[in-house]
Amino acid sequence: MRLKTFPYSLYLVISQADCRGKNFLEVAEQAILGGVDIIQLREKNDDTEIFLQKALQLIEVTNKYNIPLIINDNITVAEKANSAGIHVGNHDMAPTELRPLVEDKIIGYSIEDLTQLDNEQTAVADYLGISPVFKTKTKTDTIIEWGLEGINQIRQLTQKPLVAIGNIQVENAKAVIHAGADCLAVVSAICSAADPQKAAYELKNEIVK
């Protein structure tokens, strides 16, 4: 499922823990009904077997709605679950190492420094995750807060699709898109919401206006 274009605008990054007691499969389905059009399963603390079990459950939901499932940093899970793709960061397996192994899958790559825009990893990635746009409690191992100016700067330097993540809310969603992001990735704004479907709908409505 290599990408020629990036047709997605609302990207859910989900884990069981981020759903705060709610069933992550139900949250995912509600989010899809609200407008989420691509989902990443991120389970950093699970071993591969448990991660795979969750992925196999989730892909039944995503396949039902023809929504791509991206697996965070676990090639074994991505392959065994037959996910649409895999997302990696600076401390994970490099995209150049992944590409020969997953020729038909989407590869996402997190950008945390402008120097990454010129490296071979970015060249083989299908989209770039800009992380974080605004500081967030769900991801604390990053080195920069990009802000709107940072997104705009990156947009001037690459034609790759940009997926912005980091404390994206209804209040700032439109500004992030206007700054140059192609897609908004959210965690807490949907996973922690009392009504995930409504939360997704409100975010999507800001993007498509």
Side-chain angles (χ1 to χ4, degrees):
M1 193 179 175
R2 291 296 304 281
L3 296 175
K4 293 183 179 179
T5 59
F6 196 82
Y8 314 111
S9 58
L10 187 56
Y11 186 135
L12 175 64
V13 180
I14 195 170
S15 72
Q16 179 62 70
D18 287 321
C19 292
R20 297 186 178 182
K22 297 188 295 292
N23 184 294
F24 80 102
L25 300 172
E26 294 177 1
V27 171
E29 184 163 23
Q30 290 170 23
I32 292 168
L33 293 173
V36 161
D37 47 22
I38 183 169
I39 293 180
Q40 179 188 143
L41 180 61
R42 184 171 69 190
E43 292 288 3
K44 287 286 190 180
N45 298 318
D46 285 349
D47 62 30
T48 295
E49 183 178 352
I50 294 174
F51 195 171
L52 177 59
Q53 290 174 359
K54 291 179 178 177
L56 291 172
Q57 291 176 308
L58 182 55
I59 205 164
E60 290 187 12
V61 176
T62 56
N63 283 348
K64 176 181 175 181
Y65 296 96
N66 197 30
I67 298 294
L69 176 64
I70 306 296
I71 296 298
N72 182 268
D73 181 34
N74 193 312
I75 188 172
T76 299
V77 173
E79 290 182 324
K80 289 187 175 180
N82 195 27
S83 70
I86 185 167
H87 187 94
V88 292
N90 294 292
H91 305 295
D92 306 327
M93 183 180 287
T96 51
E97 295 175 10
L98 280 171
R99 180 53 74 204
L101 303 175
V102 292
E103 292 184 0
D104 61 336
K105 293 188 185 297
I106 301 166
I107 295 179
Y109 179 52
S110 290
I111 296 295
E112 297 177 8
D113 187 285
L114 286 176
T115 59
Q116 292 176 257
L117 294 174
D118 295 322
N119 69 24
E120 58 184 352
Q121 310 307 334
T122 295
V124 302
D126 292 293
Y127 71 87
L128 305 179
I130 309 306
S131 171
V133 178
F134 308 112
K135 290 181 180 178
T136 172
K137 294 180 180 179
T138 61
K139 191 167 180 61
T140 58
D141 59 346
T142 53
I143 60 175
I144 192 171
E145 179 180 10
W146 288 106
L148 298 177
E149 290 185 5
I151 297 174
N152 185 262
Q153 185 177 14
I154 294 170
R155 178 75 287 162
Q156 305 307 311
L157 297 172
T158 181
Q159 295 300 311
K160 292 280 185 177
L162 304 182
V163 177
I165 186 169
N167 205 11
I168 305 293
Q169 307 289 336
V170 170
E171 294 77 15
N172 59 31
K174 189 179 297 185
V176 175
I177 292 293
H178 286 172
D182 299 285
C183 179
L184 302 184
V186 298
V187 184
S188 300
I190 291 177
C191 290
S192 299
D195 186 338
Q197 183 173 343
K198 180 182 179 183
Y201 175 81
E202 290 176 347
L203 280 162
K204 191 64 168 281
N205 194 46
E206 289 297 309
I207 296 170
V208 300
K209 280 183 177 178

